[in-house]
């Protein structure tokens, strides 16, 4: 799949089949994430892969997206390792790039995924459930699986609504 095609055709998938996702596939997805750019190449991301149904039930209670969490074959929980950061904002941006790399990889493999951020309001509880150290700050939960239905179509604002030429207010 061409990169621009992957960027424009990727959609958030919240419904999955029961089909398993192999460890090799998960390794490829996380590997794509770790190749994201990071300041000073500090690679501040850390991951916990969750398949256990009981753990998914516990996590599902912490978000309005509980049904997505319960019904996905696996979750990749993404953290910022505060012991390996050098600039908070830059490191959070790097983790965003890491997650986007993973989502594009998921899509290119014919799988579906969704970046769940609403669960961040319960970050301490997530850490407790997963026995994550206090130095790990929850950044997102990525649900991954085989899509249960065809992705929906999405629209974007026109560039002239988003971009100014040279100075604010000058039309693109």
């Amino acid at each position: 799949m061409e990169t621009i095609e992957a960027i424009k055709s990727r959609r958030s998938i919240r419904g999955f089949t029961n089909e398993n996702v192999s460890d090799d596939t998960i390794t490829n997805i996380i590997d794509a994430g770790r190749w994201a750019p990071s300041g000073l190449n500090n690679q501040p991301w850390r991951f916990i892969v969750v398949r256990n149904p009981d753990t998914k039930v516990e996590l599902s209670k912490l978000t309005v997206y509980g049904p997505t969490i319960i019904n996905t074959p696996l979750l990749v929980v993404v953290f910022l390792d505060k012991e390996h950061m050098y600039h908070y904002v830059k490191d959070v941006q790097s983790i965003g790039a890491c997650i986007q790399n993973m989502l594009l990889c998921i899509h290119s493999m014919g799988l579906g995924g969704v970046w769940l951020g609403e669960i961040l309001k319960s970050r301490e509880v997530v850490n407790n459930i997963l026995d994550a150290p206090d130095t790990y700050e929850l950044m997102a939960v990525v649900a991954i699986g085989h899509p249960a239905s065809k992705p929906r179509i999405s629209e974007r604002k026109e560039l002239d609504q988003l971009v100014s030429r040279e100075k604010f207010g000058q039309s693109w």
Side-chain angles (χ1 to χ4, degrees):
M1 183 179 294
E2 292 292 323
T3 304
I4 196 69
E5 178 189 346
I7 291 168
K8 288 184 175 183
S9 63
R10 189 212 63 80
R11 297 290 177 273
S12 295
I13 305 298
R14 293 177 179 84
F16 306 98
T17 69
N18 292 329
E19 189 176 347
N20 186 37
V21 177
S22 73
D23 283 352
D24 286 342
T25 299
I26 298 166
T27 298
N28 287 332
I29 292 166
I30 293 173
D31 194 42
R34 77 182 178 108
W35 280 98
S38 62
L40 304 178
N41 196 30
N42 67 330
Q43 304 170 50
W45 38 72
R46 300 295 181 268
F47 311 95
I48 296 177
V49 176
V50 176
R51 290 184 190 268
N52 183 295
D54 295 333
T55 304
K56 290 192 297 182
V57 167
E58 285 186 74
L59 293 172
S60 75
K61 295 174 184 175
L62 305 175
T63 174
V64 298
Y65 298 104
T68 299
I69 287 178
I70 289 174
N71 295 317
T72 187
L74 80 115
L75 304 168
V76 176
V77 185
V78 184
F79 297 91
L80 165 66
D81 184 348
K82 294 185 283 186
E83 288 186 341
H84 289 91
M85 60 182 254
Y86 89 101
H87 187 278
Y88 185 78
V89 173
K90 290 179 181 181
D91 289 334
V92 169
Q93 290 173 339
S94 292
I95 289 175
C98 167
I99 295 167
Q100 180 68 356
N101 276 11
M102 289 172 35
L103 290 170
L104 289 170
C105 180
I106 290 163
H107 177 56
S108 74
M109 299 170 102
L111 298 172
V114 62
W115 176 340
L116 302 171
E118 191 265 344
I119 197 169
L120 294 175
K121 69 184 183 340
S122 301
R123 66 183 61 208
E124 294 85 11
V125 181
V126 171
N127 278 41
N128 287 337
I129 290 169
L130 300 178
D131 292 331
D134 292 339
T135 58
Y136 278 28
E137 182 178 338
L138 180 65
M139 293 283 115
V141 173
V142 181
I144 303 168
H146 294 269
S149 61
K150 187 173 182 168
R152 69 185 198 289
I153 294 173
S154 180
E155 300 201 9
R156 293 294 184 262
K157 294 179 181 179
E158 295 297 324
L159 286 177
D160 63 0
Q161 294 179 285
L162 304 171
V163 181
S164 295
R165 187 180 302 275
E166 303 296 336
K167 293 187 179 187
F168 178 77
Q170 293 184 10
S171 217
W172 178 251

